[in-house]
């Protein structure tokens, strides 16, 4: 059973894709709250516990992050690179989701520490299957590393 108090962060700029993914998670019966941010800067604020996300009681560190490569304001690759330099965030499971990518993007994402890179499938049945597999692997079967240091509020860029 997946604990329902453990959050999933979806970093997705397309409202349509975010809606379809949220619906697929609900239909898959995943009880975890899903929070969506629509650009790379917001993603970093959330993950680093800054700005509107400074209260970890309200905005807990996610147990899984789903990252679109093509985010505005700060690309998915930039988000990944920055997150992996933070001692308390470098172990956070990050699954990159993309509609299309170049082989260089795939290599770069893995070089920067992506745990997985998946192409967003076309069609609700295929999306549902992918979400079910993500939940089973990353939320049920995967042994999680302690993120300890990330739960403290002192993760501002100047502290790095």
């Amino acid at each position: 059973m997946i604990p329902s108090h453990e959050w999933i962060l979806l970093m997705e700029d397309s409202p349509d894709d975010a809606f379809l993914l949220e619906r697929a998670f609900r239909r898959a019966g995943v009880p975890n709250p899903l929070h969506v941010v629509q650009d790379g800067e917001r993603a970093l604020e959330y993950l680093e516990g800054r700005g509107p996300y400074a209260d970890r009681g309200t905005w807990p560190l996610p147990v899984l992050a789903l990252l679109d490569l093509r985010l505005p304001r700060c690309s998915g690759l930039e988000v990944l690179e920055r997150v992996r330099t933070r001692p308390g965030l470098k172990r956070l499971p990050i699954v990159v989701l993309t509609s299309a990518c170049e082989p260089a993007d795939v290599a770069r994402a893995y070089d920067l520490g992506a745990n997985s890179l998946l192409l967003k499938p076309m069609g609700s049945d295929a999306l549902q299957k992918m979400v079910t597999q993500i939940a089973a692997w990353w939320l049920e079967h995967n042994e999680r590393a302690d993120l300890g240091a990330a739960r403290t509020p002192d993760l501002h860029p100047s502290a790095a």
Side-chain angles (χ1 to χ4, degrees), residues 38-147:
Q38 294 184 325
D39 67 62
E41 286 298 324
R42 281 286 180 187
L44 289 169
E45 284 178 346
Y46 188 103
L47 291 168
E48 294 172 347
R50 295 186 285 117
Y53 303 108
D55 179 4
R56 283 293 187 213
T58 303
W59 302 106
L61 194 64
V63 295
L64 176 65
L66 305 174
L67 175 65
D68 184 25
L69 278 184
R70 309 275 184 250
L71 293 174
R73 298 183 64 206
C74 183
S75 76
L77 291 173
E78 291 170 313
V79 169
L80 187 57
E81 183 173 28
R82 188 147 147 199
V83 166
R84 291 305 190 220
T85 65
R86 299 286 188 251
L89 295 173
K90 65 183 176 183
R91 294 184 194 140
L92 174 69
I94 299 178
V95 175
V96 174
L97 300 176
T98 188
S99 298
C101 63
E102 298 296 320
D105 289 337
V106 174
R108 183 81 175 129
Y110 281 116
D111 287 347
L112 292 172
N115 295 95
S116 182
L117 190 142
L118 304 172
L119 288 174
K120 296 176 193 171
M122 301 299 280
S124 62
D125 289 342
L127 184 62
Q128 178 78 41
K129 182 178 179 181
M130 182 190 77
V131 163
T132 300
Q133 291 171 337
I134 288 171
W137 180 256
W138 293 106
L139 301 174
E140 290 179 38
H141 302 298
N142 187 54
E143 286 295 324
R144 296 184 203 147
D146 181 17
L147 301 180

Side-chain angles (χ1 to χ4, degrees), residues 10-23:
L10 174 59
M11 298 166 271
E12 173 60 64
D13 64 315
S14 165
D16 292 337
D17 285 355
F19 171 79
L20 292 172
L21 282 161
E22 287 176 301
R23 185 176 68 181

